[in-house]
Amino acid sequence: AEGDSPEALRTRVAGLLAAARARSTALTDAVDEADLVAQHSPLMSPLVWDLAHIGSQEELWLVRDVGGREPLRPEIDGLYDAFQHSRASRVTLPLLTPPEARTYVAEVRDKALDALHRSPLSGRRLERDGFAFGMIVQHEQQHDETMLATHQLRTGAPVLHAPAPPPGRTPSAREVYVPAGPFEMGTSVEPWALDNERPAHAVHVDAFWIDTAPVTNGAYAEFVDAGGYDDPRWWSAAGWRHRLDAGLSAPQFWERDGSGTWYRRRFGVLAPVVPDEPVVHVCFHEADAYARWAGRRLPTEAEWEKAARHDPATGRSRRYPWGDEEPTERHANLGQRHLQPAPVGAYPAGVSALGVHQLVGDVWEWLSSGFEAYPGYETFPYPEYSEVFFGGDYRMLRGGSFGTDPSAVRATFRNWDHPVRRQIFAGFRCARDAGPRDDRPLGDRPL
Ligand code: AVJ
Ligand code: FE
């Protein structure tokens, strides 16, 4: 944490790099070579591309920049540049084979650890507080979540297994009231926060109600069974067009048996849909349509972050909903410990100061906001992380999922994707406007 000596910081960074690599290894050792080079979906890279891309990014920042070393394999840079080749086309490139990719990432890692031991972890901004190392830990973990989504899309016998999450306990109130007022959004002090999370700035938010927990499978199935996918009233114009073009009729991976019971396929296993788990694998348009059907709307990004971080007792913003301490398994369903969302109410220790559950972990949450720079934003260290995406056709996602590592999600962490994407581990919760004096006790509100 902050105030670490350089030696303590080195030890912590080395542990995080090793943990990220253990996950990348587990995800890529779980399948055979044919599976590693296959295109499981045009939306995804072959797993072996992600693996070598992880190494390529690490080489660029830790070996060449921080370490000041010569390129290991300059001829492969272009293959692993995400901007040169679409995900759909990567399978056709002369990629490193799985054994070559494994050797490459191991060689890069050796040199990156050498750079870690030589860097003062202070001085220029890239090295200060170990930022470059933190950025690369997050990058590997982000691709590990992407690889987990590729695993979800692959067919064949199940290869990933994990224990079930803790049991749920339905929260006593369905919604939480958040009074009007300013809060501090973003951060200027979190050492490994990425450029788009900066700087901290005050934002006024009108009073609103927000769901205590993410929308569940049970609630979402009511929308499906009520004909929600067949009624354009609930859909935006773009959403309805997409609903027709893509033939959407239920969340991705859901199917019905002859008796009408819903099943879902998860990492190769078909099982009944569990009503009190957060719904996952819906796109922004589906979330938006559900919210309209329910007489509600999606939260804005500022509303989500206020619900997650604002402590009304002190007026300050927390690092995480539960406080400033790093996530543990008591706080949130993160880190691919459980390969599914936990039922609502499963993390009472993770509740925010305002009383909102499961903001971090379980499922990414779609929001109504697009991706924009905060006032005072500065690109650092490269424009292709955030800057080139500002103002594009994206919707924000917050909070991380069961597939997100704690190192790659904070209550300030910002994620975004196209509004039609649903192979990611995304669900949502709803909100609605409230009057400034609309704060009757929880439970008295009409649902
Ligand atoms: C921030 C999650 C949208 O995975 O596309 C990985 C992160 N950027 N490599 C993504 C990222 C470059 C990015 N997201
Ligand atoms: Fe990347």
Side-chain angles (χ1 to χ4, degrees):
E2 258 158 288
D4 276 355
S5 69
E7 261 331 299
L9 181 53
R10 276 187 195 100
T11 304
R12 191 160 63 87
V13 165
L16 291 168
L17 285 167
R21 186 52 45 86
R23 178 152 304 132
S24 306
T25 303
L27 289 163
T28 48
D29 282 358
V31 293
D32 63 22
E33 292 214 5
D35 225 312
L36 287 174
V37 303
Q39 184 180 57
H40 296 287
S41 157
L43 294 177
M44 308 307 278
S45 316
L47 291 165
V48 75
W49 186 92
D50 283 284
L51 181 63
H53 167 82
I54 285 167
S56 173
Q57 229 17 43
E58 184 169 324
E59 185 190 345
L60 216 56
W61 291 103
L62 301 187
V63 178
R64 297 189 203 174
D65 195 321
V66 174
R69 297 239 206 165
E70 288 308 304
L72 278 84
R73 307 198 51 166
E75 75 285 1
I76 66 171
D77 283 359
L79 293 175
Y80 298 105
D81 177 347
F83 288 84
Q84 285 188 36
H85 310 283
S86 67
R87 284 186 176 182
S89 71
R90 291 172 190 166
V91 71
T92 66
L93 300 173
L95 300 176
L96 298 186
T97 64
E100 287 168 346
R102 289 183 174 117
T103 302
Y104 171 63
V105 299
E107 285 174 359
V108 170
R109 177 55 55 88
D110 266 0
K111 295 183 167 55
L113 291 176
D114 187 61
L116 174 62
H117 291 286
R118 290 166 191 268
S119 168
L121 305 179
S122 61
R124 67 177 191 136
R125 187 165 164 203
L126 190 66
E127 289 176 68
R128 203 185 306 153
D129 301 318
F131 176 84
F133 295 90
M135 176 179 82
I136 289 301
V137 164
Q138 292 177 70
H139 181 259
E140 180 158 358
Q141 291 285 4
Q142 287 172 329
H143 279 273
D144 289 346
E145 181 166 0
T146 299
M147 288 198 277
L148 189 67
T150 306
H151 268 272
Q152 169 61 11
L153 286 161
R154 74 176 273 283
T155 51
V159 295
L160 299 180
H161 308 278
R169 199 186 321 149
T170 305
S172 55
R174 185 171 143 185
E175 297 177 284
V176 169
Y177 178 76
V178 182
F183 87 106
E184 187 188 88
M185 187 169 187
T187 176
S188 301
V189 298
E190 189 68 42
W192 291 355
L194 302 169
D195 57 3
N196 64 49
E197 298 165 67
R198 302 168 186 271
H201 57 291
V203 175
H204 174 86
V205 183
D206 287 338
F208 66 104
W209 292 90
I210 189 162
D211 286 349
T212 310
V215 170
T216 63
N217 287 326
Y220 197 85
E222 285 180 38
F223 167 64
V224 178
D225 292 336
Y229 279 76
D230 300 318
D231 193 336
R233 269 189 302 166
W234 312 132
W235 300 72
S236 67
W240 184 246
R241 228 176 302 123
H242 178 66
R243 134 82 190 93
L244 294 176
D245 288 349
L248 304 182
S249 59
Q252 192 174 12
F253 309 114
W254 281 30
E255 50 188 85
R256 253 196 239 269
D257 73 2
S259 72
T261 306
W262 284 111
Y263 284 73
R264 51 94 186 129
R265 188 170 54 77
R266 181 175 286 151
F267 302 113
V269 178
L270 193 68
V273 164
V274 176
D276 67 344
E277 275 174 29
V279 68
V280 61
H281 298 301
V282 290
C283 70
F284 167 83
H285 294 306
E286 291 168 292
D288 179 61
Y290 172 95
R292 215 169 281 115
W293 170 78
R296 327 277 294 286
R297 58 173 174 77
L298 295 180
T300 65
E301 194 182 13
E303 286 171 340
W304 189 96
E305 189 168 319
K306 186 172 182 181
R309 299 184 65 206
H310 182 63
D311 180 351
T314 62
R316 67 174 282 282
S317 284
R318 299 170 163 189
R319 297 176 67 210
Y320 295 99
W322 52 85
D324 292 343
E325 322 95 76
E326 303 285 324
T328 68
E329 60 179 50
R330 290 178 49 251
H331 292 118
N333 180 10
L334 291 167
Q336 306 187 13
R337 268 198 324 275
H338 312 293
L339 293 176
Q340 61 179 92
V344 298
Y347 291 93
V351 172
S352 76
L354 286 158
V356 185
H357 286 243
Q358 284 163 301
L359 286 153
V360 166
D362 297 297
V363 291
W364 289 101
E365 300 183 19
W366 284 113
L367 300 168
S368 60
S369 309
F371 190 28
E372 301 295 345
Y374 290 159
Y377 165 84
E378 275 179 66
T379 290
F380 184 78
Y382 66 109
E384 293 83 7
Y385 185 78
S386 310
E387 190 188 322
V388 302
F389 299 104
F390 290 141
D393 176 31
Y394 303 105
R395 286 289 181 267
M396 298 314 285
L397 294 145
R398 289 296 202 97
S401 76
F402 62 85
T404 311
D405 190 72
S407 63
V409 71
R410 304 160 278 283
T412 54
F413 186 89
R414 307 177 75 196
N415 191 11
W416 63 96
D417 212 330
H418 293 293
V420 299
R421 291 287 183 258
R422 56 185 201 163
Q423 85 284 3
I424 55 177
F425 305 108
F428 64 103
R429 74 181 72 219
C430 296
R432 62 191 172 93
D433 298 347
R437 310 185 62 84
D438 199 10
D439 55 350
R440 280 177 282 167
L442 299 176
D444 287 2
R445 298 292 312 157
L447 298 184

